[in-house]
């Protein structure tokens, strides 16, 4: 049996301000740091350790991983960082307050932009400061890999090659792998691992900071998955994410 652990980053500053974040590089709040430390404590309590970690190029995920490494005394851990694990790109919505956007466009339209499988939000112009082509960390990407907006479907399309090419071979080789990323990039992995339909994945809510453990067969098909800690805590945290998706 092989194990894979997924963690969604802790609360960010724009989560707190109820803003669309996407690829905007905002940091964690104090609560977000505590969530990361709590998740690390749960891993320690259950005897987990890791051989390698993966995260995105966005500091809220990187800093969550740093806190987990620090608490677990794993600062030496080899870390792979990739844009393919970035959050979904919310296009022209990035930086906007969700409640104010809902008043302008209507609750139903904003919910479709946030939670439908294949409907992207309004796209950015290439001369917009928020366009990834204007950010040096993405200078090596091909023009066709620079999103101006993304649906969940498009997010999954750019996340899954990283699973097949990099992460899955490590898990098959017996490496104990930790992935710290974002709600939508992780939803893509969960969709694949659990064989979820396009419709089912739109209702999935991944709590922040709580380790999600997958136990896998040698062919990487799941045996079972579960959150560490109190199941009621996980349910409350997932409900909080669902309310946030509705702009509450």
């Amino acid at each position: 049996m092989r194990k894979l652990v997924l963690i969604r980053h802790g609360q960010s500053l724009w989560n707190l301000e109820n803003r669309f974040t996407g690829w905007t590089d905002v940091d964690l709040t104090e609560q977000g740091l505590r969530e990361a430390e709590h998740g690390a404590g749960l891993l320690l309590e259950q005897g987990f350790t890791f051989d390698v970690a993966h995260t995105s190029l966005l500091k809220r995920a990187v800093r969550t991983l740093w806190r987990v490494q620090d608490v677990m005394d794993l600062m030496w851990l080899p870390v792979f960082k990739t844009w393919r694990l970035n959050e979904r790109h919310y296009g022209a919505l990035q930086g906007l307050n969700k409640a104010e956007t809902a008043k302008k466009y209507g609750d139903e339209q904003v919910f479709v932009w946030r939670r439908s499988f294949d409907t992207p939000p309004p796209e950015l112009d290439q001369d917009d400061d928020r366009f990834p082509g204007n950010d040096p960390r993405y200078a090596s990407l091909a023009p066709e890999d620079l999103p101006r907006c993304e649906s969940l479907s498009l997010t999954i399309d750019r996340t899954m090659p990283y699973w097949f090419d990099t992460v899955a071979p490590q898990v098959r080789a017996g490496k104990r792998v930790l992935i710290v990323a974002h709600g939508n990039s992780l939803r893509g992995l969960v969709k694949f691992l659990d064989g979820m339909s396009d419709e089912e994945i739109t209702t999935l809510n991944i709590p922040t900071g709580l380790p999600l453990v997958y136990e896998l067969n040698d062919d990487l098909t799941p045996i079972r998955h579960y959150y560490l800690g109190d199941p009621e805590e996980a349910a409350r945290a997932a409900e909080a994410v669902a309310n946030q998706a509705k702009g509450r």
Side-chain angles (χ1 to χ4, degrees):
M1 183 184 67
R2 309 182 189 284
K3 288 185 179 180
L4 169 72
V5 176
L6 312 178
I7 299 179
R8 182 181 181 181
H9 69 78
Q11 183 193 65
S12 76
L13 293 167
W14 279 12
N15 290 150
L16 183 63
E17 295 175 6
N18 201 30
R19 296 183 183 275
F20 292 98
T21 308
W23 284 30
T24 307
D25 200 17
V26 301
D27 213 336
L28 297 177
T29 62
E30 288 299 319
Q31 178 179 322
L33 292 170
R34 290 193 298 271
E35 289 172 350
E37 292 166 0
H38 176 59
L42 292 173
L43 288 165
L44 279 176
E45 288 174 8
Q46 296 299 316
F48 280 80
T49 191
F50 301 99
D51 301 303
V52 63
H54 300 264
T55 190
S56 74
L57 297 184
L58 301 171
K59 70 177 69 172
R60 57 193 186 273
V62 175
R63 200 176 303 280
T64 297
L65 174 58
W66 285 355
R67 280 299 173 108
V68 172
Q69 290 178 271
D70 193 16
V71 171
M72 297 187 72
D73 196 20
L74 292 175
M75 296 304 291
W76 57 267
L77 203 65
V79 174
F80 293 76
K81 298 175 185 174
T82 175
W83 67 279
R84 291 189 179 275
L85 290 176
N86 276 15
E87 178 58 288
R88 173 186 171 190
H89 197 295
Y90 276 104
L93 298 182
Q94 292 186 169
L96 301 182
N97 180 276
K98 295 171 188 175
E100 292 173 359
T101 306
K103 287 180 181 179
K104 181 176 180 179
Y105 294 101
D107 290 336
E108 184 175 347
Q109 177 62 73
V110 171
F111 190 73
V112 167
W113 284 334
R114 282 191 57 80
R115 278 306 179 109
S116 69
F117 183 70
D118 53 11
T119 302
E123 65 180 26
L124 294 173
D125 295 326
Q126 289 194 3
D127 60 357
D128 193 300
D129 289 341
R130 296 169 293 176
F131 176 58
N134 299 318
D135 190 323
R137 83 190 76 186
Y138 306 115
S140 64
L141 269 61
E144 61 270 21
D145 289 332
L146 293 168
R148 293 198 285 169
C149 64
E150 288 179 313
S151 62
L152 177 57
S153 176
L154 290 172
T155 305
I156 292 172
D157 287 346
R158 53 98 167 153
T159 298
M160 290 313 300
Y162 190 72
W163 165 260
F164 291 118
D165 297 341
T166 303
V167 180
Q170 292 177 345
V171 179
R172 287 195 188 95
K175 299 289 186 183
R176 295 165 294 185
V177 176
L178 169 65
I179 300 177
V180 180
H182 306 263
N184 286 296
S185 51
L186 292 179
R187 287 166 76 208
L189 291 175
V190 169
K191 182 180 189 298
F192 170 75
L193 290 171
D194 290 343
M196 299 177 72
S197 69
D198 296 352
E199 182 178 357
E200 287 173 324
I201 195 60
T202 62
T203 64
L204 176 70
N205 298 295
I206 299 177
T208 55
L210 289 180
L212 173 57
V213 180
Y214 273 85
E215 296 179 357
L216 307 169
N217 288 310
D218 289 346
D219 63 0
L220 304 192
T221 55
I223 300 168
R224 66 172 183 145
H225 66 265
Y226 52 92
Y227 287 101
L228 295 185
D230 180 5
E232 291 186 4
E233 176 190 7
R236 289 193 300 270
E239 181 63 25
V241 171
N243 288 336
Q244 186 182 80
K246 297 172 184 175
R248 294 176 183 169

